[in-house]
Every structure is written in structure tokens, then in C-alpha cells.
Amino acid sequence: MDAETKNSVHSHTLHEHGHWAWPKLSNTRKVNVALQGGGAHGAFGWGVLDKLLEDGRIEIEAISGTSAGAMNAVVAADGLMEGGPARARERLETFWHRISVDALSSPVRRSIFDMIFTNWSLDHNPLLTFFDMMTRVVSPYQFNPLNINPLRDLVASQVDFERVRSCDCVRLFISATNVHTSHAKVFTGPEVTVNAVMASACLPYAFQAVEIDGVPYWDGGYMGNPVLSPFYGCNSQDVILVQIDPISRSQTPKTAREIMDRLHEISFNSSLIKELRYVELVNRCLLRGDLASAGYREMLIHAISGCVEFEALSPSTKLNAEWAFLTHLRDLGRKAAAEWLSQHFDKLGKASSMDLGPFRDGMVDIDRKALADGVLAKS
């Protein structure tokens, strides 16, 4: 990209209301971004966003985020409103640095042994083992009756939610799980508050359910990690899925901790697999002309994945908020995004770069008429 174009993209183009807006350039591609959650592993999503915002050829129309992905989404949106891509990148770095600073006082840290051998894992920390055992018999309503959550204060201090709710340069879809109905709740527009973000990141064995308008919510990963269906209401057909949780693993878990960790991964990926199956079915039906009058259009899926790297990491690293580790994950995200842009940028608006064929299994019994009648929400 030439310097003139890049400078133009990153300039402070002001909307009529006085805040930043995407400049209208012929060589940019409009995309939607879907960010998975995963604790500290969300720093990989930070890296991907950082590279996409830096590139200059990408206009982000909407972001769907869950848990750490939701935090990345609101921080980026706030930064875009304040001063465009450059400011969004600064705000993301500041946010993750604040997380690392606050984590310095946490007793759940790497052991000396792990530090010496450059092992990012927290598996040898006895307090983590104790907390893991305690949460199996004691609920957060018992061990944290005052419902203290320092992360909520951090997010509230780092994000101007009033500005985020008025944001019109990028749409936000923040997912949480309704405890009563088991349905996914997607917070968008004026619904995006600090409580919505904390609901999206509420692991039920660690925190009390977050109540919004009298409804309790748990982590959005259970029913949408992240949600894709709202993108049917966007102008762009392209969805860049930022994957953190490995869908497949080559090794069979043997220890109790490994088994529980793999169960969590399967649980948090099940909703994504279901949505990808629906997208594949809709695309296939459109190709045959079955949904010509139903208002659907093809969704082009692209994946920027860190699953190979994350498969080699212990799940306990999701709790490792050391700055060295977070910046390591950020750099992995930037590298993965740069490789994807180099290989697949020209496919934007034309075709999926992610093979949806493997997700076709299990869809043979779906009634196409039911689909056309609205089984899959379009907005």
C-alpha cells in the first residue's frame, strides 16, 4: 500500500457529528469481525485487530465478541470513535497493559520453575489447584458474597460506554447466555453497557450471574462463541473469524484437569460449530436457488486462527496476564493476520477462504422450509 493511501485511511476523518468516520476509499474492503473469548488468550484477538486496523485496506463494519472478545470489541469501538484506527490501536494496548499491571498483585502466577524454563503455564501454582478444587464444591455466592469483581472496575475505567452506545462507525454484537432460558442474548446498540460486557465474560463457577433488567446471564461462550447470525443484517458479506479455542486436538486427555479443560473447549466451540453448519447450509441452498425469495445472502467466512499455537499451551495460561505473555500472544495475532492478508485479501467480497465443507455433516435433516421461515435469525 502506498504511503498516501495509508495516511488517508488513518487520518481523522470527521463525521457530521464531530467524531471519526471511515473515509470513503475505493481500494478498501468492508468486513465483519468475530472474536472468540478465552481469558488472557484474548490478547491474540488484540493482535489480529491491531494488524487489521494498521493495514489501511480494511474497514470494519461490525464486531461480534464474547468474553475477552467482547472487551476487545468495546475498547476498539471506543478508540475508533475517539480518533480512528490509530487511536483504537493505542486504546487496545493500554487496556491490555492495565490488565497486566493489575495482575501483578495476584497470587495466581507462574512458579519460579516455570519462569526459569520459559513455561507460560500456571499448572504448578498450588493456589490455582486449590481454587479449582474449591469451585467444585463452593459457589461464588458463598466464597464471594459481596460479588467483588476488579475486572468490572477496570473495564468501566477504560471504556466510555456512552460514546460506545452512540458509535456509528462500527456495529457491536456482544453475546451472553440467559441462565433461565439457555438462549443466547445479543446486546447491541444502546444495550451495550459495562454489565453486558461482564455478563459476556461471567464464568459461573467464578462469578455470580450478572443480572440485567432482572435476567441473569452467564458467559456468552456457552451459546455463542461468538455469534455469527447478526452479520446477516450487515452490508458486508465477509466475516473474519478470530479463533482461539481449538476445535480439534490430536491428543486424548488423560488427567482429570485435561479432561475438564477439553470439556470446556468442546462446550465453548459447540455453538460456533452449529452456526458454521447453518452458514454452510444457507450458502449451499442459495447456490441451488432454494432460498432465492427468503432474504438470505451468502456469508463469506474467513478464519484467522491461533489454534495451532494454543493447542501447545496449557489451558491455565488463560489466567496468565503477564505483560510478556500478553505481548507474545499479540505478536502471534499480528503475524497470523498479516499472513492471512497476504494470502487471502483478494478473496474478500468474492469467496470464503475458510473451507466450510467439514461442517456439512449433521445437516441432512434440516428442513429447508423451516430455514426459509426463520430458523436462523437474519439480524
Side-chain angles (χ1 to χ4, degrees):
M1 183 197 326
D2 59 80
E4 182 180 354
T5 300
K6 192 166 186 176
N7 289 336
S8 177
V9 172
H10 289 178
S11 64
H12 286 222
T13 305
L14 295 181
H15 189 274
E16 59 180 332
H17 299 300
H19 54 71
W20 188 87
W22 295 102
K24 300 184 183 300
L25 297 174
S26 59
N27 66 333
T28 59
R29 298 289 185 273
K30 185 178 291 188
V31 303
N32 302 305
V33 178
L35 300 169
Q36 281 196 316
H41 291 185
F44 178 88
W46 160 33
V48 172
L49 282 176
D50 188 69
K51 183 59 182 179
L52 294 179
L53 290 166
E54 177 191 61
D55 184 76
R57 297 172 295 170
I58 299 293
E59 175 184 339
I60 301 176
E61 179 181 1
I63 305 176
S64 172
T66 298
S67 193
M71 296 178 195
N72 278 330
V74 295
V75 173
D78 192 21
L80 284 171
M81 284 285 284
E82 186 180 11
R87 183 58 177 154
R89 294 176 63 205
E90 292 173 1
R91 294 290 301 280
L92 282 165
E93 180 169 5
T94 300
F95 172 74
W96 284 98
H97 188 260
R98 271 293 309 276
I99 287 179
S100 73
V101 170
D102 284 11
L104 290 175
S105 60
S106 172
V108 182
R109 304 176 66 183
R110 285 191 296 164
S111 67
I112 298 297
F113 174 84
D114 290 322
M115 291 181 182
I116 292 174
F117 290 94
T118 320
N119 178 9
W120 299 113
S121 168
L122 304 180
D123 289 344
H124 298 104
N125 186 297
L127 287 177
L128 179 61
T129 302
F130 171 76
F131 183 76
D132 183 46
M133 295 177 63
M134 181 184 70
T135 55
R136 301 185 188 208
V137 293
V138 182
S139 87
Y141 293 87
Q142 296 169 309
F143 67 73
N144 186 12
L146 297 180
N147 201 21
I148 297 172
N149 187 349
L151 184 58
R152 185 188 190 282
D153 296 333
L154 188 154
V155 173
S157 69
Q158 291 293 302
V159 179
D160 183 340
F161 279 93
E162 183 176 351
R163 183 161 53 203
V164 168
R165 286 190 291 273
S166 65
C167 179
D168 57 4
C169 59
V170 62
R171 298 175 64 183
L172 297 180
F173 305 112
I174 306 302
S175 60
T177 301
N178 186 315
V179 178
H180 290 167
T181 66
S182 302
H183 293 165
K185 166 63 178 178
V186 180
F187 297 94
T188 188
E191 299 173 315
V192 178
T193 63
V194 65
N195 282 341
V197 174
M198 299 318 298
S200 182
C202 179
L203 291 172
Y205 51 80
F207 302 105
Q208 297 182 25
V210 177
E211 289 201 7
I212 300 175
D213 296 329
V215 179
Y217 293 98
W218 282 341
D219 196 293
Y222 295 110
M223 298 306 297
N225 190 27
V227 291
L228 304 181
S229 55
F231 292 139
Y232 278 108
C234 295
N235 293 320
S236 174
Q237 293 177 261
D238 293 287
V239 175
I240 297 177
L241 172 63
V242 181
Q243 288 184 280
I244 292 175
D245 285 326
I247 290 179
S248 61
R249 283 187 177 270
S250 57
Q251 301 294 321
T252 302
K254 300 291 180 64
T255 68
R257 174 172 286 177
E258 289 173 347
I259 292 170
M260 288 301 298
D261 289 337
R262 184 56 183 154
L263 281 173
H264 289 154
E265 285 181 345
I266 292 172
S267 174
F268 275 38
N269 274 318
S270 61
S271 58
L272 174 62
I273 291 172
K274 181 179 179 181
E275 287 214 68
L276 289 173
R277 284 177 172 173
Y278 272 119
V279 170
E280 193 279 333
L281 176 63
V282 169
N283 289 352
R284 187 156 34 96
C285 289
L286 286 168
L287 187 63
R288 292 198 303 251
D290 292 336
L291 296 175
S293 61
Y296 287 95
R297 60 177 179 168
E298 186 177 10
M299 185 180 288
L300 307 178
I301 303 293
H302 314 274
I304 298 178
S305 175
C307 292
V308 173
E309 290 81 5
F310 289 125
E311 186 174 354
L313 292 175
S314 165
S316 69
T317 57
K318 292 181 178 182
L319 299 175
N320 186 349
E322 295 176 39
W323 184 238
F325 182 56
L326 297 180
T327 53
H328 168 67
L329 295 180
R330 176 205 60 193
D331 293 343
L332 288 176
R334 282 182 54 84
K335 179 182 177 182
E339 291 175 351
W340 183 88
L341 286 165
S342 174
Q343 297 171 14
H344 301 296
F345 177 81
D346 291 338
K347 290 186 178 180
L348 290 174
K350 300 175 183 177
S352 294
S353 60
M354 180 181 184
D355 180 14
L356 296 181
F359 299 98
R360 183 171 179 172
D361 295 340
M363 297 304 296
V364 293
D365 295 327
I366 293 293
D367 186 334
R368 289 198 299 272
K369 182 179 183 302
L371 180 64
D373 288 342
V375 171
L376 180 62
K378 290 176 282 186
S379 63

